[in-house]
Amino acid sequence: MRRKWMSAAAAALLAAGLVCGCANPQKEGVEALEEGNYEEAEARFSELTEKGGKEGAAGYRGLGMVYYETEEYQKALEAFETAAESGIRPDVQMYNLMAVCAIQTEQYGPALEYIRSGLALADSASADEQPSEELIREMKFNEIVCCERQADWSGAKQKVTEYLEAYPDDEAAQKEAEFLATR
């Protein structure tokens, strides 16, 4: 499932590079990322960051993807945040990646903010920009996890109830609901 999203994210990263005219190192970085050659991808995206501007921002987003794939979640989160600060407008996919990185580093408050920003963006997206239902589902489940990890039991209960209305066959969510009923 994650690979599918990474391919979509890599394609978006490449398209952004073609628009801003920084296709060479970016294209090479995306190709290396897709091939699993993370050292080469890191080198190409680092090269872009040195250029600054839109190219630099795209480089930081690429580095975030590299670090995400290599499970260096704190570095990935920092790279994604720098990309956003440098001019990359986060999409739903990027918000999800940022949220997962924050969850992996036990930063549940920021993770919840990223999830909610991503879900709000998805709600306002045009029909041709709608993220996959799998992505939305993952974000909604992670929203429950974040509420739970922050001991926001009423928030977690509300979110799991909403989640199960949309996805009644999700066994993991059913177990979460059972657990939360004891809180």
Side-chain angles (χ1 to χ4, degrees):
M1 193 177 336
R2 185 172 73 176
R3 291 281 172 219
K4 218 183 332 178
W5 295 335
M6 288 308 293
S7 294
L13 186 64
L14 179 58
L18 296 174
V19 169
C20 73
C22 50
N24 225 3
Q26 187 160 358
K27 181 181 179 194
E28 293 166 1
V30 169
E31 289 171 355
L33 181 65
E34 289 177 334
E35 293 169 3
N37 185 347
Y38 302 120
E39 287 180 21
E40 178 67 19
E42 182 179 17
R44 296 293 71 72
F45 292 131
S46 291
E47 185 179 325
L48 280 175
T49 65
E50 295 170 8
K51 295 182 178 190
K54 288 183 180 181
E55 292 176 279
Y60 282 111
R61 182 176 176 151
L63 284 173
M65 293 167 56
V66 169
Y67 298 140
Y68 180 88
E69 283 296 300
T70 58
E71 299 179 359
E72 297 176 77
Y73 297 112
Q74 185 60 45
K75 286 174 74 173
L77 183 56
E78 290 168 5
F80 287 131
E81 288 172 340
T82 302
E85 292 166 6
S86 300
I88 293 287
R89 184 177 150 248
D91 57 12
V92 177
Q93 172 68 34
M94 187 167 155
Y95 277 124
N96 182 58
L97 293 172
M98 293 168 76
V100 171
C101 291
I103 289 168
Q104 291 294 327
T105 57
E106 299 181 359
Q107 300 173 58
Y108 302 110
L112 200 50
E113 290 177 32
Y114 296 133
I115 290 167
R116 291 182 176 159
S117 294
L119 291 173
L121 186 59
D123 285 344
S124 66
S126 65
D128 61 326
E129 294 177 341
Q130 280 295 314
S132 73
E133 182 58 35
E134 291 174 87
L135 178 59
I136 297 302
R137 185 175 182 162
E138 177 182 324
M139 292 176 80
K140 288 182 177 183
F141 188 85
N142 284 339
E143 188 175 26
I144 299 164
V145 171
C146 288
C147 288
E148 186 179 304
R149 295 292 170 102
Q150 292 183 315
D152 175 6
W153 306 119
S154 63
K157 287 176 187 178
Q158 176 188 348
K159 293 300 176 184
V160 79
T161 299
E162 293 170 6
Y163 182 91
L164 285 171
E165 286 174 8
Y167 312 105
D169 297 332
D170 189 319
E171 292 179 16
Q174 290 169 2
K175 288 180 183 179
E176 284 296 316
E178 290 173 18
F179 168 76
L180 289 168
T182 67
R183 299 288 178 253

PDB file of all heavy atoms in Angstrom, residues 105-121:
ATOM      1  N   THR A 105       7.720   9.260  15.632  1.00  0.00           N
ATOM      2  CA  THR A 105       8.632   9.921  16.572  1.00  0.00           C
ATOM      3  C   THR A 105       7.878  10.398  17.817  1.00  0.00           C
ATOM      4  O   THR A 105       8.397  11.230  18.572  1.00  0.00           O
ATOM      5  CB  THR A 105       9.363  11.090  15.889  1.00  0.00           C
ATOM      6  OG1 THR A 105       8.401  12.007  15.352  1.00  0.00           O
ATOM      7  CG2 THR A 105      10.283  10.590  14.786  1.00  0.00           C
ATOM      8  N   GLU A 106       6.684   9.873  17.999  1.00  0.00           N
ATOM      9  CA  GLU A 106       5.847  10.125  19.182  1.00  0.00           C
ATOM     10  C   GLU A 106       5.507  11.595  19.375  1.00  0.00           C
ATOM     11  O   GLU A 106       5.367  12.080  20.495  1.00  0.00           O
ATOM     12  CB  GLU A 106       6.492   9.529  20.433  1.00  0.00           C
ATOM     13  CG  GLU A 106       6.667   8.023  20.330  1.00  0.00           C
ATOM     14  CD  GLU A 106       7.282   7.389  21.552  1.00  0.00           C
ATOM     15  OE1 GLU A 106       7.616   8.107  22.521  1.00  0.00           O
ATOM     16  OE2 GLU A 106       7.432   6.155  21.549  1.00  0.00           O
ATOM     17  N   GLN A 107       5.309  12.301  18.280  1.00  0.00           N
ATOM     18  CA  GLN A 107       4.878  13.700  18.303  1.00  0.00           C
ATOM     19  C   GLN A 107       3.402  13.736  17.898  1.00  0.00           C
ATOM     20  O   GLN A 107       3.058  14.127  16.782  1.00  0.00           O
ATOM     21  CB  GLN A 107       5.733  14.532  17.340  1.00  0.00           C
ATOM     22  CG  GLN A 107       7.212  14.525  17.672  1.00  0.00           C
ATOM     23  CD  GLN A 107       8.018  15.226  16.605  1.00  0.00           C
ATOM     24  OE1 GLN A 107       7.791  16.387  16.304  1.00  0.00           O
ATOM     25  NE2 GLN A 107       8.969  14.500  16.021  1.00  0.00           N
ATOM     26  N   TYR A 108       2.543  13.323  18.803  1.00  0.00           N
ATOM     27  CA  TYR A 108       1.142  13.089  18.466  1.00  0.00           C
ATOM     28  C   TYR A 108       0.350  14.366  18.224  1.00  0.00           C
ATOM     29  O   TYR A 108      -0.557  14.374  17.383  1.00  0.00           O
ATOM     30  CB  TYR A 108       0.485  12.223  19.537  1.00  0.00           C
ATOM     31  CG  TYR A 108       1.211  10.908  19.696  1.00  0.00           C
ATOM     32  CD1 TYR A 108       1.947  10.638  20.841  1.00  0.00           C
ATOM     33  CD2 TYR A 108       1.216   9.973  18.669  1.00  0.00           C
ATOM     34  CE1 TYR A 108       2.649   9.449  20.963  1.00  0.00           C
ATOM     35  CE2 TYR A 108       1.920   8.781  18.783  1.00  0.00           C
ATOM     36  CZ  TYR A 108       2.632   8.529  19.945  1.00  0.00           C
ATOM     37  OH  TYR A 108       3.334   7.358  20.055  1.00  0.00           O
ATOM     38  N   GLY A 109       0.673  15.441  18.916  1.00  0.00           N
ATOM     39  CA  GLY A 109      -0.015  16.709  18.679  1.00  0.00           C
ATOM     40  C   GLY A 109       0.204  17.215  17.262  1.00  0.00           C
ATOM     41  O   GLY A 109      -0.767  17.475  16.532  1.00  0.00           O
ATOM     42  N   PRO A 110       1.468  17.354  16.839  1.00  0.00           N
ATOM     43  CA  PRO A 110       1.709  17.764  15.450  1.00  0.00           C
ATOM     44  C   PRO A 110       1.134  16.762  14.437  1.00  0.00           C
ATOM     45  O   PRO A 110       0.606  17.175  13.401  1.00  0.00           O
ATOM     46  CB  PRO A 110       3.233  17.823  15.352  1.00  0.00           C
ATOM     47  CG  PRO A 110       3.678  18.107  16.750  1.00  0.00           C
ATOM     48  CD  PRO A 110       2.707  17.347  17.623  1.00  0.00           C
ATOM     49  N   ALA A 111       1.210  15.473  14.740  1.00  0.00           N
ATOM     50  CA  ALA A 111       0.655  14.471  13.818  1.00  0.00           C
ATOM     51  C   ALA A 111      -0.834  14.723  13.610  1.00  0.00           C
ATOM     52  O   ALA A 111      -1.325  14.681  12.474  1.00  0.00           O
ATOM     53  CB  ALA A 111       0.883  13.061  14.361  1.00  0.00           C
ATOM     54  N   LEU A 112      -1.530  15.001  14.686  1.00  0.00           N
ATOM     55  CA  LEU A 112      -2.962  15.266  14.607  1.00  0.00           C
ATOM     56  C   LEU A 112      -3.231  16.512  13.764  1.00  0.00           C
ATOM     57  O   LEU A 112      -4.161  16.531  12.947  1.00  0.00           O
ATOM     58  CB  LEU A 112      -3.520  15.431  16.023  1.00  0.00           C
ATOM     59  CG  LEU A 112      -5.003  15.244  16.230  1.00  0.00           C
ATOM     60  CD1 LEU A 112      -5.521  13.958  15.623  1.00  0.00           C
ATOM     61  CD2 LEU A 112      -5.306  15.279  17.724  1.00  0.00           C
ATOM     62  N   GLU A 113      -2.400  17.523  13.903  1.00  0.00           N
ATOM     63  CA  GLU A 113      -2.550  18.736  13.085  1.00  0.00           C
ATOM     64  C   GLU A 113      -2.348  18.425  11.604  1.00  0.00           C
ATOM     65  O   GLU A 113      -3.091  18.914  10.753  1.00  0.00           O
ATOM     66  CB  GLU A 113      -1.560  19.806  13.536  1.00  0.00           C
ATOM     67  CG  GLU A 113      -1.888  20.400  14.896  1.00  0.00           C
ATOM     68  CD  GLU A 113      -0.850  21.411  15.352  1.00  0.00           C
ATOM     69  OE1 GLU A 113      -0.251  22.099  14.497  1.00  0.00           O
ATOM     70  OE2 GLU A 113      -0.641  21.509  16.581  1.00  0.00           O
ATOM     71  N   TYR A 114      -1.337  17.618  11.293  1.00  0.00           N
ATOM     72  CA  TYR A 114      -1.094  17.259   9.892  1.00  0.00           C
ATOM     73  C   TYR A 114      -2.263  16.450   9.327  1.00  0.00           C
ATOM     74  O   TYR A 114      -2.692  16.677   8.193  1.00  0.00           O
ATOM     75  CB  TYR A 114       0.205  16.465   9.737  1.00  0.00           C
ATOM     76  CG  TYR A 114       1.444  17.228  10.105  1.00  0.00           C
ATOM     77  CD1 TYR A 114       2.414  16.666  10.924  1.00  0.00           C
ATOM     78  CD2 TYR A 114       1.668  18.518   9.638  1.00  0.00           C
ATOM     79  CE1 TYR A 114       3.558  17.359  11.272  1.00  0.00           C
ATOM     80  CE2 TYR A 114       2.813  19.223   9.976  1.00  0.00           C
ATOM     81  CZ  TYR A 114       3.752  18.636  10.791  1.00  0.00           C
ATOM     82  OH  TYR A 114       4.885  19.331  11.129  1.00  0.00           O
ATOM     83  N   ILE A 115      -2.763  15.523  10.118  1.00  0.00           N
ATOM     84  CA  ILE A 115      -3.891  14.709   9.666  1.00  0.00           C
ATOM     85  C   ILE A 115      -5.093  15.597   9.392  1.00  0.00           C
ATOM     86  O   ILE A 115      -5.732  15.492   8.331  1.00  0.00           O
ATOM     87  CB  ILE A 115      -4.244  13.617  10.712  1.00  0.00           C
ATOM     88  CG1 ILE A 115      -3.137  12.564  10.754  1.00  0.00           C
ATOM     89  CG2 ILE A 115      -5.600  12.998  10.404  1.00  0.00           C
ATOM     90  CD1 ILE A 115      -3.218  11.626  11.952  1.00  0.00           C
ATOM     91  N   ARG A 116      -5.402  16.459  10.319  1.00  0.00           N
ATOM     92  CA  ARG A 116      -6.585  17.320  10.157  1.00  0.00           C
ATOM     93  C   ARG A 116      -6.419  18.290   9.001  1.00  0.00           C
ATOM     94  O   ARG A 116      -7.371  18.559   8.268  1.00  0.00           O
ATOM     95  CB  ARG A 116      -6.891  18.014  11.472  1.00  0.00           C
ATOM     96  CG  ARG A 116      -7.393  16.989  12.489  1.00  0.00           C
ATOM     97  CD  ARG A 116      -7.778  17.561  13.806  1.00  0.00           C
ATOM     98  NE  ARG A 116      -8.340  16.478  14.649  1.00  0.00           N
ATOM     99  CZ  ARG A 116      -8.399  16.544  15.962  1.00  0.00           C
ATOM    100  NH1 ARG A 116      -7.976  17.622  16.605  1.00  0.00           N
ATOM    101  NH2 ARG A 116      -8.919  15.535  16.642  1.00  0.00           N
ATOM    102  N   SER A 117      -5.219  18.787   8.792  1.00  0.00           N
ATOM    103  CA  SER A 117      -4.974  19.663   7.635  1.00  0.00           C
ATOM    104  C   SER A 117      -5.151  18.886   6.332  1.00  0.00           C
ATOM    105  O   SER A 117      -5.745  19.392   5.376  1.00  0.00           O
ATOM    106  CB  SER A 117      -3.565  20.256   7.701  1.00  0.00           C
ATOM    107  OG  SER A 117      -3.438  21.126   8.797  1.00  0.00           O
ATOM    108  N   GLY A 118      -4.634  17.669   6.302  1.00  0.00           N
ATOM    109  CA  GLY A 118      -4.773  16.837   5.107  1.00  0.00           C
ATOM    110  C   GLY A 118      -6.213  16.468   4.811  1.00  0.00           C
ATOM    111  O   GLY A 118      -6.664  16.523   3.666  1.00  0.00           O
ATOM    112  N   LEU A 119      -6.960  16.117   5.853  1.00  0.00           N
ATOM    113  CA  LEU A 119      -8.366  15.766   5.664  1.00  0.00           C
ATOM    114  C   LEU A 119      -9.185  16.980   5.226  1.00  0.00           C
ATOM    115  O   LEU A 119     -10.073  16.861   4.372  1.00  0.00           O
ATOM    116  CB  LEU A 119      -8.946  15.147   6.936  1.00  0.00           C
ATOM    117  CG  LEU A 119      -8.396  13.763   7.296  1.00  0.00           C
ATOM    118  CD1 LEU A 119      -8.909  13.319   8.662  1.00  0.00           C
ATOM    119  CD2 LEU A 119      -8.756  12.737   6.226  1.00  0.00           C
ATOM    120  N   ALA A 120      -8.878  18.147   5.778  1.00  0.00           N
ATOM    121  CA  ALA A 120      -9.576  19.373   5.365  1.00  0.00           C
ATOM    122  C   ALA A 120      -9.273  19.678   3.899  1.00  0.00           C
ATOM    123  O   ALA A 120     -10.173  20.068   3.135  1.00  0.00           O
ATOM    124  CB  ALA A 120      -9.172  20.538   6.257  1.00  0.00           C
ATOM    125  N   LEU A 121      -8.033  19.486   3.500  1.00  0.00           N
ATOM    126  CA  LEU A 121      -7.646  19.707   2.110  1.00  0.00           C
ATOM    127  C   LEU A 121      -8.375  18.714   1.201  1.00  0.00           C
ATOM    128  O   LEU A 121      -8.858  19.093   0.132  1.00  0.00           O
ATOM    129  CB  LEU A 121      -6.134  19.581   1.963  1.00  0.00           C
ATOM    130  CG  LEU A 121      -5.536  19.923   0.608  1.00  0.00           C
ATOM    131  CD1 LEU A 121      -5.859  21.365   0.217  1.00  0.00           C
ATOM    132  CD2 LEU A 121      -4.022  19.720   0.646  1.00  0.00           C
TER     133      LEU A 121
END
